[in-house]
Amino acid sequence: MKLRDLSPLMARRRDGGLSHGRFRADPALASLHWPDDVLEQFLFDHGDNSAFVHDYGDVDLCEIRWSLETIPTEDFEEMPTGASDAGCIENFAKNPVHWVRVRPPEVGQHWERHGTWLRPPILIARWLLHPADTGLQVLEGRTRVGVLRGRRREGLHVESHHQAWVGHPAM
């Protein structure tokens, strides 16, 4: 199953006729056995975003297994995102205080207290996209990763490790 296969479901979601609860209960999505947070951030929020479809449209969604992992801060420094959004992480990193300020107050409070994001971003093993590639790529959470990079450069409180959902090839 690929993102394009979900276009009828995405059209119902886009038209407002499908809550997240009903969306995730769709048999096609339920068969993926993905964590709810990944379903929401990736498919519900962005499954019909043209940049996502361009960058991730050829990935077989059934071949991804997700795990919540702890990733060192350094790993996020050079981690890319999809080609359609190249450069956006660095744009967010230029003004991390602004990008936190325009979010709900609890986001900024969490950064100040814990030095990390409130909600884990979604990363994907680059091997799933291009078999010759290694490492991880930011699938969803480009603003969060940009804020992390920017806060680190500006000497603001940043923890040494951060949780993220990571998609690996199903074996």
Side-chain angles (χ1 to χ4, degrees), residues 117-135:
W117 36 67
L118 185 60
R119 187 176 194 190
I122 312 295
L123 312 178
I124 192 164
R126 297 184 75 216
W127 182 85
L128 281 162
L129 309 171
H130 305 285
D133 287 350
T134 60

Side-chain angles (χ1 to χ4, degrees), residues 20-124:
H20 178 254
R22 290 181 57 209
F23 178 86
R24 75 172 180 234
D26 184 274
L29 298 180
S31 70
L32 292 174
H33 305 288
W34 283 13
D36 190 52
D37 199 23
V38 174
L39 271 175
E40 183 175 1
Q41 290 188 68
F42 180 9
L43 299 181
F44 186 76
D45 291 347
H46 299 288
D48 60 350
N49 174 306
S50 60
F52 269 55
V53 173
H54 179 267
D55 292 342
Y56 306 107
D58 292 330
V59 176
D60 184 347
L61 303 176
C62 297
E63 294 301 317
I64 305 172
R65 292 296 170 260
W66 298 96
S67 58
L68 189 60
E69 299 180 17
T70 302
I71 310 291
T73 298
E74 294 77 29
D75 289 5
F76 289 99
E77 283 300 318
E78 300 298 324
M79 193 179 293
T81 191
S84 297
D85 285 325
C88 76
I89 292 174
E90 280 309 311
N91 284 333
F92 295 126
K94 289 176 185 174
N95 196 348
V97 173
H98 166 76
W99 292 108
V100 169
R101 190 177 300 129
V102 298
R103 301 290 188 252
E106 59 268 16
V107 171
Q109 293 165 359
H110 198 81
W111 274 107
E112 291 306 316
R113 287 187 192 127
H114 303 286
T116 192
W117 36 67
L118 185 60
R119 187 176 194 190
I122 312 295
L123 312 178
I124 192 164

